[in-house]
Amino acid sequence: MGLRVGIDLGTTYSGVAYIDSVGMPRMIKNSFGDTVTPSVLCFKADGSVLHGEDAKNEQESGNPNVASFYKRSMGSETFMAVYAGKTYTPTDLSSIFLRKLVAEASESIGQPITEAVITVPAYFAARERQATIEVGERAGLKVLGLLSEPSAAAYAYGLNGSNANGKTIMIYDLGGGTFDVTIARITEDEVKVLGCDGDHQLGGKDWDDALARHLLRAMCDELGIEYEEINPTLSEMNALIVQAENAKRQLSTRNEIKLKLSAGGYTASVSITRNDFEAATEHLLRKSTSVIEHLLEELGLSWYNIDGSLLVGGSTRMPCVRSYLRNATGKEPLSGINADEAVALGAAIHANMIVQSKKTLGGGSSAPKLTLMGARKLSDSIAHAMGMIAESDDRSRYVNSIIIPKHTPIPARMTRSYKLRVPKTGGILEAYVLQGSNQRVLNNTVYAKYVVEGIEREGQGDSIVEVTYAYTENATIEVTAKQPFFNRDLVVRKDQVESDLSRFDRAPEALEVEVTEAYRFMVAIDVSGSMSGNPIREARSALVDFLKSVEETESQVGIMVFADECKIIAEPTDDFRRLKSLGKTISDNGDVGYGTSANPIEEWRRGVIGKQSIADFFFFKKKRECDYHDCLIVLTDGEWFAQNEAIRSAKAAINGGAEIIAIGFGSADRYFLSQIASSDDYSALIDLSSLRETFSTIGRTMTTGGGLTLKGK
């Protein structure tokens, strides 16, 4: 019989743990003698694949066929990457890596590994969790279950003998690629998760990227050149990011280090202090603050209610994290666990608890049960609300009808009744399963579609159908339905989700009902050096045409320009005469620089809508009390330096309820435009000659509730 293990399948590092003969969880070392392995792959021209430290070394040398951070896209149906001429999905990459990780662990411990509990970020939705199960199975494992990383860490905390009984603990899990925060109540026998929240686009990699940008600027200062003069290659940037990662680690124990940097044909030695690093990355800590405070608000708690904080994930080794939590809670973070190993150790405990529980229920084996250190009952909760697309009470729009609220204990089973108009011949109900709490349907994840068949007419036509959602510990979602009038279960079958769901942004009777949408637009225009001449003239004309197309509606419009910096020319207003006058003054005169290092999406998201502070990260939820739909229209003619940051900003804004339209021409990046837009239909790479027509179309279509589909190259 094979060995049963717990696996921390991390974004940057992974580990495998097992329970030894005396019931103690232990890490299995890799071939380098380390307990954690870099989650990195390198595809060689001869068809071989390196992993772990060997692949990491190739990454440091700038090899373009190195795959890393693919976990951030787990479950994505659109992410594809090409290495050594072959295309891979995140599931492909993860399963290749996991198979190699398990094989190495099996060889190290001298036993075949056949069963595992695999950990996932607490904020992973059902799609990502199902993809993780598939990864385990493709790697040849029997997946006993999935376990949220913070919950695994809570198990591991029980190993140090500390008395956490009766305490409310905040588990601050900052890994290489994701951030989770979980609030849990720990007793002698149970870990009860009260709730969790997270950001899949926040992790140690973002600290690395921010430090890499800081190092480039420090290099320019040392050489006395402008930032735009350095144009590093992809290989140079990869090497620089690895240098930044190593520098980050060194600055966790040292106050100052010196680095030799090479990029764009330049070489320089620069010194960086811990204070420099913390100043360059302070905004990232503030992002985690927003997530935490939103979760506390949802749970009706405050910082005062937190008895202690538990640090999980290698990125929490940064002194600034410990200092931040000490200041926020007024208490030293809890100690006694290894931040790199805690998740795998907790998963090993859980794996063996699952098997022992099954043996007990089934009569079990005659072999004595092990006394597992850290073993407690786990009561987890749902990270994302589960809902269904339904019509609003007044039938004016489609809404997210929540069936299982966020933070409901798992497993969960809940039912909601729906009144349907059914013809004499009978009817069906299309149940689109949503994950998320946003009232706007398409701001949530459409997980699946089910068709409820055989609904009979009751009386004069109104029939009641009860729809039930069941959510299991492994994030399996089951949908059933019943017609109580006849006391009969209905047939439910799974169907394919259509690629175009834009109709759910219109009224249910859109063909018969004229709908006028009140938008608060912000038009952000690229004024970098490449826009000089005809492009900037066409942009001004397009802006004026856009203003004409919306001036008779209830909408407001603001104007922003960006290059190396962002500048608000006009806050959103309905004074269209003034807006047209200001629009005609837009030029590429250098007021905001000539490069492309600004991030206008973040400027709009944080500083424009409602003038909210950074701490009010979830302002969209509060904003929805007003009548306006916020929409950013971005016009650009080239690639941005901060494209990854812009994509993260865009996803945060879209998840909060806003819409983004991205228009590009010239040397703009078509893929980048699609990543920052609300949907593929909201992005286009066009010819400059069609810019005015495109902007007029956007104004007319958006404000009349029509389905916008942009045409481009």
Side-chain angles (χ1 to χ4, degrees), residues 623-658:
K623 181 189 69 63
R624 279 296 156 223
E625 297 171 1
C626 75
D627 295 328
Y628 286 106
H629 299 288
D630 277 297
C631 179
L632 175 68
I633 303 174
V634 178
L635 174 64
T636 184
D637 77 331
E639 296 188 2
W640 301 0
F641 178 79
Q643 290 195 168
N644 288 336
E645 288 184 32
I647 291 171
R648 288 191 287 272
S649 299
K651 290 186 183 305
I654 294 166
N655 287 338

Side-chain angles (χ1 to χ4, degrees), residues 260-279:
K260 185 176 181 180
L261 306 175
S262 296
Y266 296 94
T267 300
S269 294
V270 301
S271 294
I272 181 171
T273 66
R274 183 184 293 175
N275 287 338
D276 294 333
F277 168 63
E278 293 180 354

Side-chain angles (χ1 to χ4, degrees), residues 148-168:
S148 295
E149 291 163 3
S151 300
Y155 275 134
Y157 181 62
L159 299 174
N160 64 10
S162 299
N163 181 17
N165 293 344
K167 290 185 178 179
T168 300

